[in-house]
């Protein structure tokens, strides 16, 4: 396992632990308490900031993408999914044309 995969696993472990944390002492626990609407609102906000940063300084873009990924991982953990599930899906798609992959999706 490489260092990048390890950090994703460590982060997922922390996010799972925060599910049982006090929402008054943990930002992530407060998002879990507020549920999918709160988490998806943060994802929407972070996605917009990522788009804005695309034309900006590359360091800001990396920062905003990290925020977007972080909040997406919170949503995955809430739904009992894992970063590994996303990595497996990307692996499944690897080597397939994006146009072909999209055409093969179920409606």
């Amino acid at each position: 396992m490489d260092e990048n995969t390890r950090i994703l696993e460590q982060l997922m472990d922390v996010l799972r632990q925060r599910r049982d944390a006090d929402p008054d002492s943990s930002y992530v626990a407060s998002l879990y308490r507020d549920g999918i609407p709160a988490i998806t609102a943060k994802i929407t906000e972070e996605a917009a900031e990522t788009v804005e940063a695309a034309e900006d300084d590359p360091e800001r873009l990396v920062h905003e993408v990290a925020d977007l990924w972080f909040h997406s991982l919170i949503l995955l953990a809430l739904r009992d999914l894992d970063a590994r599930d996303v990595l497996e899906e990307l692996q499944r798609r690897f080597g397939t044309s994006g146009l072909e992959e999209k055409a093969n999706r179920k409606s």
Side-chain angles (χ1 to χ4, degrees), residues 31-32 34-44 71-72 74-75 78:
L31 286 175
Y32 286 138
D34 296 341
I36 290 176
I39 298 168
T40 56
K42 281 302 295 181
I43 291 171
T44 300
H71 288 89
S72 296
I74 293 170
L75 180 59
L78 179 69

Side-chain angles (χ1 to χ4, degrees), residues 5-45:
T5 304
R6 192 170 20 260
I7 192 65
L8 279 174
E9 287 190 3
Q10 290 172 335
L11 181 55
M12 291 306 302
D13 287 343
V14 169
L15 295 177
R16 281 187 214 93
Q17 292 169 8
R18 295 295 188 270
R19 289 173 75 165
D20 298 323
D22 177 2
D24 293 329
S25 67
S26 167
Y27 169 71
V28 172
S30 71
L31 286 175
Y32 286 138
R33 177 198 59 213
D34 296 341
I36 290 176
I39 298 168
T40 56
K42 281 302 295 181
I43 291 171
T44 300
E45 174 188 328

Side-chain angles (χ1 to χ4, degrees), residues 7 13 23 28 30-31 40 42 52 54 62 65 68-69 79-81 89-90 97 100 106:
I7 192 65
D13 287 343
V28 172
S30 71
L31 286 175
T40 56
K42 281 302 295 181
E52 290 172 13
V62 169
V65 169
L68 179 59
W69 286 13
R79 298 294 308 268
D80 293 321
L81 296 167
E89 176 61 15
L90 290 171
S97 151
E100 180 183 341
K106 296 177 183 173

